């Protein structure tokens, strides 16, 4: 199945000029969702992954399903103030201002081989910050995986050498 | 496995006097996460469920894994302003003020048998509002499922006759 056909484009969301790529329509198609998870299941089972770090909040859907399928630990990277335990934080630049992402201090063990996962790779700021968090905990980011990539936003460059795996690309910014 | 042993208590989060039940420690234990999903897989496969509606954001982890396992559509119920398409909204009372939850207008089809899913049943306000959204779209809420229940907060009463299934209870408020 061509996943591009089950991802909905919403013009001008969340603000004028943005073409928002909506994965909720993909989630309503069990065959499409299964294709996403099974592709990554085969890929990461072969690479001896120890854990998945899923990014708040749509990343939780994909990370939850994949962690279940692989039988590996799932860690959550969340927006500031959402995680209740002891956390590490990393900030990153937005178009206007900065944002902060956090992870629990016990979420990743030293030496673990980790996949960082979200629905969409845009500028890559969040995923790069999450990668820094994983490394501060002693983990190795083996790959960052996203359903969708927007190549014009150059997210791979922000991820600075970390292997990136994406399933569908749209040439929009 | 006794799931109570892998759920962490965080005192005074998000504010003094609250005993926060943290499921991130459960997600780090693959056997515990698998036990949760497999229990619900058996339960809802037997009940011919058509779709899962998962509540933002920890509900996405469990809903994503279960929708993958069952091969049914997954709809997301989100905080106001997060869903990009046409939405329906329902508000509900908090201790101070109100909050609003939304669902896409195409997320549930008339006649579908739906399970509403979140990590925790506390006062039940969010889950009750999500139930109203599902019914406005013509869906039938067969059950509301939560990993954790806090019986002193009387969430079942707020859910007003909808069957509730929970996996572990804590007698705290």
């Amino acid at each position: 199945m061509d996943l591009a056909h089950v991802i909905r484009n919403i013009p001008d969301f969340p603000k004028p000029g943005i073409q928002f790529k909506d994965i909720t329509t993909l989630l309503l198609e069990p065959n499409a969702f299964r294709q996403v998870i099974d592709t990554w299941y085969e890929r990461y089972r072969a690479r001896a992954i120890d854990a998945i770090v899923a990014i708040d909040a749509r990343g939780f859907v994909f990370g939850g399903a994949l962690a279940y399928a692989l039988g590996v630990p799932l860690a959550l990277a969340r927006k500031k103030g959402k995680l209740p335990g002891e956390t590490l934080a990393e900030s990153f630049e937005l178009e206007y201002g900065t944002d902060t992402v956090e992870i629990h201090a016990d979420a990743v063990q030293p030496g673990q081989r980790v996949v960082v996962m979200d629905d969409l790779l845009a500028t890559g700021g969040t995923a790069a910050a999450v990668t820094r968090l994983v490394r501060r905990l002693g983990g190795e980011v083996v790959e960052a995986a996203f359903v969708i990539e927007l190549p014009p936003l150059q997210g791979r460059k922000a991820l600075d050498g970390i292997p990136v795996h994406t399933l569908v690309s749209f040439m929009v910014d």
Side-chain angles (χ1 to χ4, degrees), chain A:
Chain A
M1 179 187 300
D2 184 346
L3 295 174
H5 293 162
V6 291
I7 294 166
R8 176 165 58 178
N9 189 71
I10 309 270
D12 301 320
F13 185 90
K15 57 184 185 180
I18 303 287
Q19 302 292 320
F20 188 89
K21 299 303 175 187
D22 177 19
I23 53 84
T24 68
T25 39
L26 183 158
L27 299 176
L28 293 177
E29 297 287 345
N31 290 339
F33 185 41
R34 180 167 293 273
Q35 179 178 320
V36 169
I37 301 305
D38 287 353
T39 299
W40 284 336
Y41 172 77
E42 296 296 339
R43 182 173 182 86
Y44 296 121
R45 189 179 58 161
R47 288 169 192 223
I49 292 302
D50 297 312
I52 293 165
V53 176
I55 298 178
D56 197 345
R58 288 181 296 267
F60 292 179
V61 174
F62 299 98
L66 184 61
Y68 169 76
L70 286 170
V72 300
L74 175 67
L76 307 183
R78 300 210 64 179
K79 294 168 182 104
K80 188 175 177 175
K82 294 285 189 181
L83 289 170
E86 184 193 346
T87 57
L88 281 69
E90 283 280 340
S91 294
F92 56 98
E93 305 269 323
L94 296 175
E95 193 178 359
Y96 302 101
T98 64
D99 206 347
T100 300
V101 66
E102 297 184 333
I103 197 167
H104 272 146
D106 63 356
V108 173
Q109 303 307 312
Q112 280 189 324
R113 293 165 46 82
V114 168
V115 173
V116 170
M117 176 156 295
D118 206 351
D119 68 322
L120 176 80
L121 176 61
T123 62
T126 309
V130 171
T131 295
R132 295 195 294 275
L133 290 170
V134 171
R135 288 174 171 168
R136 284 171 60 190
L137 292 174
E140 174 193 355
V141 178
V142 173
E143 193 155 84
F146 308 87
V147 181
I148 303 168
E149 178 174 6
L150 306 180
L153 294 179
Q154 303 189 39
R156 286 178 190 249
K157 193 190 272 185
L159 283 167
D160 196 19
I162 297 162
V164 170
H165 188 255
T166 63
L167 299 173
V168 57
S169 293
F170 296 101
M171 297 308 289
V172 299
D173 56 19

